[in-house]
Amino acid sequence: MTKWNKKASLVMALLFGIALIVSACGGGGGSEPAAGSGSGASNAKADEPAAGGDGASDAAAKLKPYKLKLVYEGPPQPDEALVEDAINKILVKKINATIDIAPIDWGAWDDKVNLMIASREPVDVLFTAQWNGFAKNVAKGAYLPLDDLLQQYGQGILESLDPKFLEGTKINGKNYGIPTNKELASAGGIVYRKDIADQLGIDMSQVKKPEDLDAVYKIVKEKRPDIIPLYSSGGMFNAHYFAEYDFLGDATIPGVIMKNGDDTTVRMAEDLDIYKRYIKIARDFFLKGYINKDAATTQLSSQDAYKAGNVFSTIEPMKPGKADEIANAAGMPGKLAQITLTGKTVATSEPAGAMLAISSTSKDPARAMMLINLLHTDKDINNLLNFGIEGVHYTLNGDIMTPTDKTSRYSPGVAWELGNQFLNHVWNTEAPDKWEQFKKFNEGAKPSPGLGFVFNSDPVKAEVGALANVIKQYQKAIETGSVDPDKVMPEYMSAMKAAGVDKVIAEKQKQFDAFLANKKNGNG
């Protein structure tokens, strides 16, 4: 493995400051803050022996040993313990901590995280995003406000992260998540098996809109009946990145505007023409056998579906190298390609599209923030967590990775969730200038009128909870085409009304109007 990050001076300065704070508290007793205290005071102990000979290690030794639990959304890996050990060798020197990597697989995420939050299970760092309940969980008190912690222990984040990310993800003026340093623009499209398209003589350049996929999938179904033309495990064309909805901070709470327009009236997505158009396409494709029959219930991610080898295409959020990312994670490098089918937009959903929060059950929030800071600044820790161990899971030439026979033993495929993507190595099947392409991709994106607004769901917490149950019952079945929308949509809308959707829409409009007025007056 390469030597640990040479930004040790920054870490040393941060840790030295922590040591001063601890010594100033007197006694050196190092009592732990209560779970969820959010004080930012690490459980330091001044008389711990030095963990190493350099300044950063000496400063780290003044901290009491602590085990950090990191929970993110992604598939567990066979070599997880091996990677934990490699990360710990660096973490102990830097912040006198070890790590418990605790991924939750895609299909099980919602249920397990909701249970984790409800049961107050001790967790330190937890993945969150606007599309999987960020604002709802803030209202539940699941995450700590991070502003003070960020100033004390996140200087590396503040130096490396575009301020738009932090400004665009605040709720009531506070940050509850640290966004991944990644692309800011958003687009929707498909990823597909280029090798199969070439084999069947399909000209994918003719695909300009979702309806054009009908002719493609017809050929795939006829000539390769062993292949699922379009694999889905959820939102299909009505995902926020594809339909260009702005959910105004949390895609699990009803009420949208369009990112690509100027209308600021909040509506239910189901009332929009684009929703109805995409529902019609999904139902047509499902009836023709283009979509997997278990689309409404499967827990298999698109990455795992490709790995199974019987999938032609998936609907994905687009960015440079998206197809290569999935292909490498699925162990099929070079076999996938991508087509973008929407314009480029930017809303709060993009900076808030992947964040790391500190759980209110953390027993050492300061140490949790130190870990997040390292994921944004330390190249070795970042790449270990995302790709495994150099010489075991990949070989490295400069910043270019080549797979080994053990790559599949540690390949989470979730680098976009964890820290600073601009620190990531690049696979040999990806464009060497991938990160330059990311920067260009961000240029020229149309900003949503709601950019920077995040809905505070606290005033309608009860309604949001009731609506979540209704959405869980109906939405995936409708949006994957698994049921007849003409029959089921009226029932769905009736249940939404009964659960209080009108009250939620009205509250979201009220808050959004106040945001727009504040912005117009030069205060936003």
Side-chain angles (χ1 to χ4, degrees), residues 207-329:
V207 177
K208 308 293 184 185
K209 58 185 184 301
E211 287 86 350
D212 297 337
L213 290 165
D214 190 356
V216 172
Y217 294 154
K218 185 174 186 293
I219 295 171
V220 173
K221 184 167 177 60
E222 288 176 355
K223 296 188 177 181
R224 288 293 304 269
D226 57 314
I227 295 287
I228 298 167
L230 176 60
Y231 178 81
S232 174
S233 59
M236 293 285 290
F237 300 110
N238 270 303
H240 75 91
Y241 54 81
F242 203 102
E244 299 184 300
Y245 306 131
D246 184 343
F247 278 90
L248 302 171
D250 191 327
T252 65
I253 300 174
V256 305
I257 62 170
M258 295 302 297
K259 291 192 287 183
N260 59 4
D262 300 313
D263 190 347
T264 58
T265 303
V266 180
R267 297 180 173 87
M268 290 184 67
E270 292 83 356
D271 289 335
L272 300 177
D273 289 341
I274 192 168
Y275 186 95
K276 296 169 185 176
R277 170 191 167 197
Y278 286 160
I279 288 297
K280 182 179 179 182
I281 296 170
R283 182 60 176 167
D284 181 48
F285 284 6
F286 188 89
L287 291 175
K288 290 175 177 176
Y290 297 162
I291 298 170
N292 47 303
K293 292 180 180 178
D294 64 347
T297 58
T298 182
Q299 296 190 351
L300 199 66
S301 69
S302 58
Q303 176 182 310
D304 290 332
Y306 279 116
K307 196 178 291 187
N310 65 338
V311 170
F312 176 74
S313 71
T314 54
I315 295 166
E316 303 286 350
M318 286 290 107
K319 60 183 177 181
K322 179 67 176 183
D324 289 330
E325 257 184 31
I326 296 175
N328 285 309

Side-chain angles (χ1 to χ4, degrees), residues 71-84:
V71 178
Y72 67 80
E73 188 170 9
Q77 301 296 303
D79 279 356
E80 186 178 287
L82 197 65
V83 172
E84 284 177 345

Side-chain angles (χ1 to χ4, degrees), residues 171-209:
I171 295 181
N172 283 348
K174 295 180 180 180
N175 284 111
Y176 291 87
I178 304 299
T180 304
N181 196 356
K182 61 181 185 66
E183 80 281 358
L184 262 173
S186 172
I190 64 160
V191 168
Y192 67 95
R193 287 281 300 270
K194 185 179 184 302
D195 57 335
I196 293 177
D198 292 344
Q199 176 194 15
L200 300 181
I202 300 173
D203 181 5
M204 296 298 290
S205 69
Q206 298 303 305
V207 177
K208 308 293 184 185
K209 58 185 184 301

